[in-house]
Amino acid sequence: MSEPKPQPSIAPVRALLVDDDALVRTAFHRELVQAGVEVVPVDSGEAAALLLEHERFDVVVSDIMMPGMSGLDLLRTVRARDLDVPVILMTGLPMVESAAQAVEYGALRYLTKPMNPGELPAAVKRAGHMARVARAAREAQHLGGDVRKLAADRAGLEASFERALDKLKV
């Protein structure tokens, strides 16, 4: 009788959780960790932006209404750095304007607080797996000689445009 082959281990989804409310951040952190997600919690968009300069995440989960850098501002920052990182925005005060901006700038989901149990972990895991597939596709493009980064949302297009302008010489 042969022994079963070991299955390759898949690293847990790695999420950056951004919320200025310590109680909400702690509750979401706990729920995500219990669901098997590796979570790095921070209390501001500015702290998140600094982390994103040096660390890689599969998904960013952010509150929209925060002092300083809002979740929408953070979404634009994420898109300027990486087109493949899904961003999930959350709010306790849903508004049509912020929902429209979230979609326009490429947020994957727009969730309203309070959420049903399990809703956030399910969304984060799905987003994390989508990010890994997108990264694999980009790497395959790169290996195949196609190094263009294609943007499908406004924030990604703006970031690409800004990079192109920086390269122009008059």
Side-chain angles (χ1 to χ4, degrees), residues 48-126:
L50 286 173
L51 267 178
L52 288 165
E53 289 179 15
H54 306 289
E55 295 190 42
R56 189 172 195 178
F57 296 91
D58 296 313
V59 60
V60 175
V61 181
S62 178
D63 186 27
I64 292 176
M65 303 286 284
M66 296 184 291
M69 179 183 274
S70 74
L72 291 167
D73 294 333
L74 179 60
L75 171 59
R76 290 183 194 96
T77 300
V78 170
R79 284 290 160 266
R81 290 192 171 100
D82 191 335
L83 297 173
D84 296 327
V85 176
V87 177
I88 297 172
L89 294 176
M90 311 175 294
T91 184
L93 299 167
M95 294 182 285
V96 173
E97 181 181 324
S98 65
Q101 286 180 337
V103 169
E104 184 177 356
Y105 282 94
L108 178 66
R109 296 285 307 270
Y110 181 91
L111 301 173
T112 57
K113 301 178 204 174
M115 290 175 228
N116 294 323
E119 184 177 6
L120 183 59
V124 167
K125 284 183 171 185
R126 180 174 179 267

Side-chain angles (χ1 to χ4, degrees), residues 110-152:
Y110 181 91
L111 301 173
T112 57
K113 301 178 204 174
M115 290 175 228
N116 294 323
E119 184 177 6
L120 183 59
V124 167
K125 284 183 171 185
R126 180 174 179 267
H129 295 300
M130 288 173 62
R132 289 176 180 180
V133 168
R135 282 188 187 123
R138 283 247 196 252
E139 288 174 19
Q141 273 182 330
H142 180 71
L143 291 173
D146 185 4
V147 295
R148 293 174 294 158
K149 285 202 166 202
L150 303 174

